Amino acid sequence: MSHATSEGTRLNNITELENVSVEWVHKLFVNVSSSLAVFCGGYLYNMNDTFHSPNYPNEYPNNVDCTWYIRPGYQFIRLEFFDLNTECGYDYADVYDGYDTSSRRVLRLCRTDHTVYHSTGSYLTVRFRSDGSVTRPGFRATYKVVAESSCLYNCGYQSGSCSCRSDCGYRGTCCGDYTAYCGNTTEQPSTTAEPEWSTPTTQHSCEYNCGNHLGSCSCYHSCQYYGNCCYDFH
């Protein structure tokens, strides 16, 4: 065999080996990447803190399921979302007013520049989920402990020492912003106290309430983005 033929065979073998190596490394990377779990969520006990979707401000992965348990344990919690951008209808952040995801869901968000929520107690839970396709930047959120709650998204519920229930006027216990958010609701006074996590005994309606937030649902035009419109909004 000539020297040129031997050299050509050796070069072909090296090229084949390089191709096999590149293919093997690529398969290994894909397999490892697809099997890596996305670690997110957790327990937040501080008086104030920040959390965000995985990879923020870059795009979050597919098929994530993250839950943050916000538990400072006293007073109320002011939660703020900034630059929330997900695939509406498929990926979203849910806010629960309570200890875990069995508590009352007050918000389902998919796109908002800035949204604020005040808890009615000393616990909040946030869950973020994405499906198997189309990813976006997600969100950044902060929270802090505050001395007072708010009736925004809480109409019909007790908020600590003040109330967002329709009978608060009779009792003199209305929260400071009750009139702004709940004063025009059609909810009737109740003679029995309801725990914080219960659902309203009456179904909220947008009739005569256009432009108002009605606690568990909304008649405000942005409800289509937040996914919390009342049944007769349209």
Side-chain angles (χ1 to χ4, degrees):
M1 181 180 294
S2 67
H3 176 73
T5 302
S6 299
E7 184 66 21
T9 302
R10 186 175 70 84
L11 289 174
N12 288 336
N13 290 338
I14 291 176
T15 301
E16 289 176 2
L17 180 61
E18 288 178 345
N19 290 337
V20 170
S21 299
V22 170
E23 182 179 2
W24 181 83
V25 170
H26 175 71
K27 286 183 177 180
L28 178 63
F29 176 78
V30 170
N31 290 335
V32 170
S33 298
S34 62
S35 63
L36 286 176
V38 175
F39 294 99
C40 57
Y43 292 84
L44 304 172
Y45 298 105
N46 296 329
M47 291 184 63
N48 58 81
D49 214 332
T50 299
F51 59 97
H52 53 77
S53 55
N55 296 338
Y56 180 88
N58 298 315
E59 295 185 350
Y60 51 79
N62 291 318
N63 301 312
V64 297
D65 191 345
C66 316
T67 303
W68 292 268
Y69 301 94
I70 306 173
R71 298 179 176 177
Y74 60 98
Q75 293 190 309
F76 305 98
I77 303 165
R78 176 186 169 92
L79 175 67
E80 294 187 72
F81 285 92
F82 301 91
D83 302 323
L84 190 149
N85 183 4
T86 73
E87 183 191 11
C88 287
Y90 302 94
D91 308 337
Y92 43 82
D94 286 333
V95 179
Y96 299 87
D97 183 36
Y99 200 72
D100 55 28
T101 55
S102 67
S103 304
R104 176 175 64 106
R105 191 184 74 187
V106 292
L107 290 173
R108 169 163 284 187
L109 304 173
C110 69
R111 187 172 301 135
T112 176
D113 292 332
H114 183 221
T115 294
V116 178
Y117 176 70
H118 288 76
S119 66
T120 62
S122 54
Y123 302 103
L124 274 180
T125 303
V126 177
R127 185 179 186 183
F128 174 67
R129 287 181 286 185
S130 67
D131 69 354
S133 65
V134 184
T135 60
R136 290 186 175 150
F139 70 90
R140 176 175 66 90
T142 66
Y143 76 87
K144 64 180 179 180
V145 171
V146 294
E148 297 180 355
S149 185
S150 168
C151 286
L152 180 60
Y153 306 116
N154 289 323
C155 296
Y157 292 87
Q158 187 74 21
S159 294
S161 60
C162 68
S163 176
C164 301
R165 297 172 59 91
S166 58
D167 60 355
C168 68
Y170 299 99
R171 303 175 186 276
T173 58
C174 294
C175 295
D177 58 359
Y178 171 79
T179 302
Y181 296 118
C182 310
N184 294 322
T185 65
T186 58
E187 182 190 357
Q188 298 300 313
S190 173
T191 57
T192 59
E194 296 176 349
E196 292 177 8
W197 59 86
S198 67
T199 56
T201 56
T202 57
Q203 189 172 21
H204 292 304
S205 170
C206 287
E207 185 177 9
Y208 309 120
N209 287 317
C210 293
N212 291 314
H213 298 289
L214 305 180
S216 58
C217 66
S218 177
C219 300
Y220 195 67
H221 65 83
S222 60
C223 71
Q224 297 176 90
Y225 297 99
Y226 300 153
N228 64 335
C229 296
C230 294
Y231 75 98
D232 60 352
F233 172 76
H234 297 287

